[in-house]
Amino acid sequence: MSDEHVNTRIVLKSRPNGLPAIADFAVETAAIPQPGPGEALVEVMWLSVDGFMIARLRVEENYTAGVAIGDVMQAYGIGRVTASNRIDRAIGDIVFGAFGMQQWALDQGSPVGRVLDPAMGPPQSALGILGISGWSAYFGLLDIGQPKAGETVVVSAGTGAVGALVGQIAKLHGCRTIALVGSEKKVRQAIDLYGYDAAIGRHDSDFDAQLKCAAPQGIDVYFDNVGGGHLEAALNAARPYARFAICGMISMYNAEAPVPGPANMALIIGKNLRLEGFIVSNHWDMMGDFLKELGAWHAQGQLKWRQTVREGIASAPDAFIGLFTGANMGKMLVKLA
Ligand SMILES: NC(=O)c1ccc[n+]([C@@H]2O[C@H](COP(=O)([O-])OP(=O)(O)OC[C@H]3O[C@@H](n4cnc5c(N)ncnc54)[C@H](OP(=O)(O)O)[C@@H]3O)[C@@H](O)[C@H]2O)c1
């Protein structure tokens, strides 16, 4: 039961060994924080759960600081400013920021935070199509993948928050598109909703044969969200000089050491392949260009976007874990206020 006079939040109770479990998190209450100089108080309305958050639970090397035991679990969110000691935040502003899994947060002016333009659509789109998902799809496909009309683009987790947009942007560029997905329902969604030319279920025993059949001339661009066996299959099916945009490797995030990699990496040499990974949040400076172009496609109704919504702060751990079982159809979000 939520209480509007306290801050209900999700803290890390124990470090997961492999796939996280609900028991690794605890629901706690604390006093609502008071904004000091240069801070604003935000009532969090929406939370995003993202695959990269798994890395913040590990003790080993991280590209940003991890979550300590007892700390609030990290997450991006959208909220409404209810009190402000900042000149760039007014009461009533709807803002994006790294607020964590909690009902109330302080906006302390981190470089990623921004006030949202209400004309850009529902606020939660800033956690999906007009946020990190859309931006990863746009940057990874266009900057790294360099797709050309007539080329074949393969997308793993092809109906996910990032993948569904990659497939549609590639289509807008005149490419033939193929999705790799986790269920028959997602195969249908890939073709009927997102306009893929073909979709292949990752659990099918003839996965590799289906990929060869769907891309008889081979793959020109592979957008990877999954890694492991998907990456190995894509390396086998790649045409000479194909480009691989490595966005995520979700199949490997919870694997126990030693984590097996693709066995055919030597093909990178013989086929003259280019593989490039990226962390989209290293490119905040390009946010303006992204919002302009992808925002225009979105406003013109050229891109389909779906979300799976869990209700209430207590559901956040389950929503997060659901990413690793494919429970989401589109962007996984948690609705709070
Ligand atoms: N580099 C960056 O800056 C950046 C930014 C955002 C996201 N990412 C990464 O991009 C990827 C996609 O993120 P997203 O937010 O769009 O998530 P998402 O695709 O909406 O959700 C995750 C999907 O991954 C698939 N999956 C989960 N476990 C899997 C497994 N063991 N093997 C194969 N597929 C599995 C499931 O789809 P199916 O049911 O279809 O298999 C699941 O629905 C993630 O790896 C994420 O970490 C990277």
Side-chain angles (χ1 to χ4, degrees):
M1 180 71 96
S2 83
D3 176 340
E4 64 188 56
H5 301 295
V6 296
N7 186 18
T8 306
R9 53 198 205 170
I10 306 296
V11 298
L12 183 64
K13 203 165 111 193
S14 52
R15 293 206 182 279
N17 199 358
L19 184 70
I22 296 290
D24 292 321
F25 302 92
V27 183
E28 264 190 14
T29 54
I32 295 173
Q34 296 304 309
E39 295 180 334
L41 179 64
V42 174
E43 182 179 16
V44 182
M45 301 154 68
W46 291 90
L47 284 175
S48 173
V49 289
D50 291 281
F52 68 83
M53 286 157 44
I54 196 79
R56 312 284 162 83
L57 303 182
R58 312 269 193 243
V59 277
E60 68 261 31
E61 196 177 317
N62 247 304
Y63 58 83
T64 58
V67 184
I69 299 293
D71 271 6
V72 174
M73 179 62 190
Q74 294 178 9
Y76 288 116
I78 301 292
R80 183 185 292 103
V81 174
T82 61
S84 180
N85 296 323
R86 290 181 53 170
I87 48 169
D88 57 350
R89 298 286 186 273
I91 290 175
D93 277 353
I94 304 296
V95 289
F96 166 89
F99 298 136
M101 287 187 180
Q102 54 186 345
Q103 291 176 309
W104 296 88
L106 292 175
D107 186 344
Q108 297 165 317
S110 95
V112 304
R114 67 183 199 279
V115 177
L116 300 181
D117 175 358
M120 296 293 277
Q124 72 272 28
S125 58
L127 296 175
I129 186 166
L130 299 180
I132 285 178
S133 317
W135 192 15
S136 301
Y138 179 88
F139 175 80
L141 178 68
L142 300 183
D143 217 79
I144 298 176
Q146 304 271 331
K148 293 165 199 67
E151 288 191 331
T152 297
V153 176
V154 172
V155 190
S156 59
T159 58
V162 176
L165 293 166
V166 174
Q168 294 177 83
I169 298 169
K171 207 76 200 150
L172 287 171
H173 280 74
C175 297
R176 176 176 162 72
T177 54
I178 301 169
L180 311 178
V181 295
S183 66
E184 191 51 39
K185 197 171 164 192
K186 289 184 180 181
V187 166
R188 287 269 45 94
Q189 188 187 53
I191 293 170
D192 298 343
L193 181 67
Y194 299 126
Y196 281 96
D197 295 292
I200 302 168
R202 68 176 156 100
H203 299 295
D204 293 356
S205 54
D206 60 346
F207 176 88
D208 290 81
Q210 284 194 53
L211 183 56
K212 276 201 188 83
C213 184
Q217 310 300 323
I219 297 173
D220 298 286
V221 178
Y222 176 57
F223 191 103
D224 198 12
N225 289 309
V226 168
H230 288 62
L231 179 55
E232 186 164 312
L235 287 165
N236 283 334
R239 299 183 68 179
Y241 297 97
R243 288 83 65 200
F244 282 47
I246 309 295
C247 177
M249 295 202 172
I250 199 163
S251 74
M252 302 163 87
Y253 296 166
N254 299 307
E256 284 176 31
V259 179
N264 55 353
M265 296 296 276
L267 289 176
I268 296 169
I269 306 164
K271 293 189 180 187
N272 292 275
L273 306 179
R274 185 159 69 80
L275 279 77
E276 188 173 334
F278 65 96
I279 295 170
V280 79
S281 51
N282 286 345
H283 304 275
W284 286 114
D285 54 317
M286 292 172 56
M287 191 71 171
D289 291 347
F290 152 70
L291 283 176
K292 204 165 150 198
E293 187 162 19
L294 198 127
W297 288 332
H298 180 43
Q300 292 156 11
Q302 296 198 62
L303 297 172
K304 306 276 191 313
W305 182 61
R306 290 290 181 274
Q307 56 193 27
T308 294
V309 178
R310 300 273 192 264
E311 301 268 346
I313 185 73
S315 68
D318 182 57
F320 174 53
I321 293 164
L323 290 177
F324 304 101
T325 59
N328 58 313
M329 299 285 284
K331 176 68 195 165
M332 182 73 100
L333 294 171
V334 181
K335 187 172 186 213
L336 303 189

